[in-house]
Amino acid sequence: MSLRVTTATMSIESHPKLVGLDLIQTTFKKVGDHEIRTDILIPKKPLDGKRPVILRFHGGGLVMGDSLYMDFWPWWLSDLALQENAIIISPNYRLLPGSTSSEICSDIEDFWTWVQSPSLTNILAAHSTPTSADLSRVLSFGESAGGLISLNLALAHPAGIRSCTAAYPLVDPCSAAFTKPRAKGPFGMMVPESVVKETLDVVVPGTVESSITEQERLGFMLGAISYGTLGQLYERGVEELGREFRFPGVKIEQEGTTIPRGGITIIHGRQDSVVPVGDVEKFVKRAREVFGDEKVIFTVKEGEHGLDAPLRFEEAWLQETFKAAIQTWLA
């Protein structure tokens, strides 16, 4: 398939969180006529030799978001890329409710295949300052729903990913927190249940969307979580793909499952009102039982969902939490 490459708009390139990074946008997959974009961020500082790679997956409850939606983008991740002269590759993917969780997983698998393909190599070689990616040094990261994707990908390809990291990951979209109505909505907001119904009436199954940042969809996300709809949407179409591909807690129970040699590292906010810290504590406890305490790092800090988005990598607790994962990634 011929992939189109475009230069990012200046308004995005000039965003403070992306200063020091060149941005290339391209299509890694087409679904019918719908192109799914990935963004490639390359440090402007020249480097002899290959650059390590960060695969970053955006959040948004699997129903909204975009690779370059800066409200979700962790500033410290850009700092890390600049510090280590690393390439960040951040894809979009199909979104609920038009698509299914199985289709989202399919997009991520196709993205992984694309990363290993000559397409990426050729794009980087054709850059104004030609460079290349060291695909033997890959770190995965995602926030919220993107954290779920980071975990799923790393558990599916533990030999290809050096370290798996995540921030407040949606480890179980079908826990009680996402299948039953809540007394209090995310961030203390209870949107009318009619907002959920109206969106479901408009976005029929089969509608392909991979980039949504409108406030109306944010309202739908908050409502889908508040009224227990998100878990129902995630389970739709389950016959297409086994649970072990969509739930990291199921995958780690399978005989023979391994994790990246740099382990799994997770950060979370104690007051997180979107993904309850208890869901992640349950996953971490079991993962440590299976893989060992030293392989699963978990740091809980005071804060809400998205607590790390405005932080710089100079934060001592971030450096300490990700130290082992980064050292193994770069080794």
Side-chain angles (χ1 to χ4, degrees):
M1 178 176 67
S2 176
L3 298 179
R4 185 185 67 215
V5 180
T6 61
T7 301
T9 62
M10 185 57 67
S11 61
I12 291 294
E13 275 194 297
S14 62
H15 193 283
K17 290 184 178 181
L18 301 183
V19 169
L21 297 165
D22 283 334
L23 179 54
I24 298 173
Q25 297 180 294
T26 188
T27 298
F28 77 89
K29 177 177 180 176
K30 289 184 69 174
V31 179
D33 294 330
H34 184 92
E35 297 181 340
I36 304 180
R37 192 187 83 241
T38 189
D39 297 304
I40 306 168
L41 295 118
I42 308 168
K44 294 180 180 180
K45 181 181 178 181
L47 176 71
D48 292 331
K50 295 184 176 183
R51 298 180 187 269
V53 175
I54 299 170
L55 303 182
R56 178 262 177 175
F57 304 97
H58 74 77
L62 301 169
V63 304
M64 69 163 292
D66 180 90
S67 166
L68 293 180
Y69 186 55
M70 289 292 105
D71 286 357
F72 293 167
W73 187 278
W75 202 332
W76 66 265
L77 194 70
S78 296
D79 291 339
L80 176 61
L82 291 169
Q83 174 183 299
E84 304 301 343
N85 287 306
I87 298 168
I88 301 176
I89 310 175
S90 183
N92 284 330
Y93 47 86
R94 277 177 282 183
L95 299 168
L96 307 174
S99 298
T100 66
S101 59
S102 293
E103 289 169 334
I104 293 173
C105 290
S106 172
D107 291 345
I108 300 305
E109 277 297 308
D110 288 341
F111 168 72
W112 175 251
T113 299
W114 178 86
V115 167
Q116 319 294 318
S117 75
S119 295
L120 176 62
T121 302
N122 295 337
I123 288 170
L124 295 176
H127 183 53
S128 57
T129 305
T131 192
S132 57
D134 185 350
L135 295 178
S136 70
R137 294 187 293 166
V138 175
L139 177 144
S140 70
F141 172 81
E143 72 277 358
S144 195
L148 168 67
I149 293 173
S150 177
L151 288 165
N152 281 339
L153 183 67
L155 290 170
H157 303 281
I161 293 175
R162 284 278 184 93
S163 296
C164 172
T165 63
Y168 31 92
L170 182 64
V171 291
D172 185 359
C174 291
S175 73
F178 301 101
T179 55
K180 296 181 179 180
R182 299 186 182 188
K184 187 177 181 180
F187 306 110
M189 300 170 60
M190 287 295 289
V191 301
E193 193 168 6
S194 59
V195 170
V196 178
K197 184 179 185 303
E198 289 167 3
T199 301
L200 293 177
D201 286 343
V202 173
V203 185
V204 298
T207 303
V208 180
E209 301 171 294
S210 62
S211 174
I212 305 174
T213 58
E214 288 77 16
Q215 287 299 303
E216 290 81 1
R217 188 54 74 90
L218 176 61
F220 171 71
M221 179 185 73
L222 297 175
I225 294 172
S226 297
Y227 301 106
T229 307
L230 185 63
Q232 299 170 27
L233 295 175
Y234 196 74
E235 281 291 75
R236 184 165 53 82
V238 294
E239 69 281 354
E240 299 171 27
L241 199 65
R243 293 177 64 83
E244 68 274 14
F245 296 101
R246 301 181 300 114
F247 293 89
V250 173
K251 180 65 174 178
I252 64 175
E253 297 294 347
Q254 287 197 313
E255 185 177 353
T257 295
T258 59
I259 59 175
R261 64 181 183 177
I264 295 171
T265 302
I266 297 173
I267 60 174
H268 209 95
R270 195 178 309 278
Q271 291 77 31
D272 195 313
S273 63
V274 177
V275 178
V277 67
D279 279 10
V280 183
E281 287 174 336
K282 179 180 178 182
F283 170 78
V284 167
K285 180 178 184 294
R286 183 56 183 148
R288 285 174 170 170
E289 291 171 351
V290 175
F291 305 113
D293 289 356
E294 73 285 354
K295 285 292 189 179
V296 184
I297 307 300
F298 184 44
T299 295
V300 179
K301 299 292 288 186
E302 299 299 315
E304 247 287 8
H305 197 74
L307 80 164
D308 66 321
L311 300 183
R312 309 302 297 268
F313 198 57
E314 62 193 23
E315 290 280 340
W317 72 268
L318 283 174
Q319 293 184 20
E320 183 60 28
T321 295
F322 291 109
K323 181 178 179 180
I326 291 170
Q327 287 178 340
T328 304
W329 166 46
L330 298 174

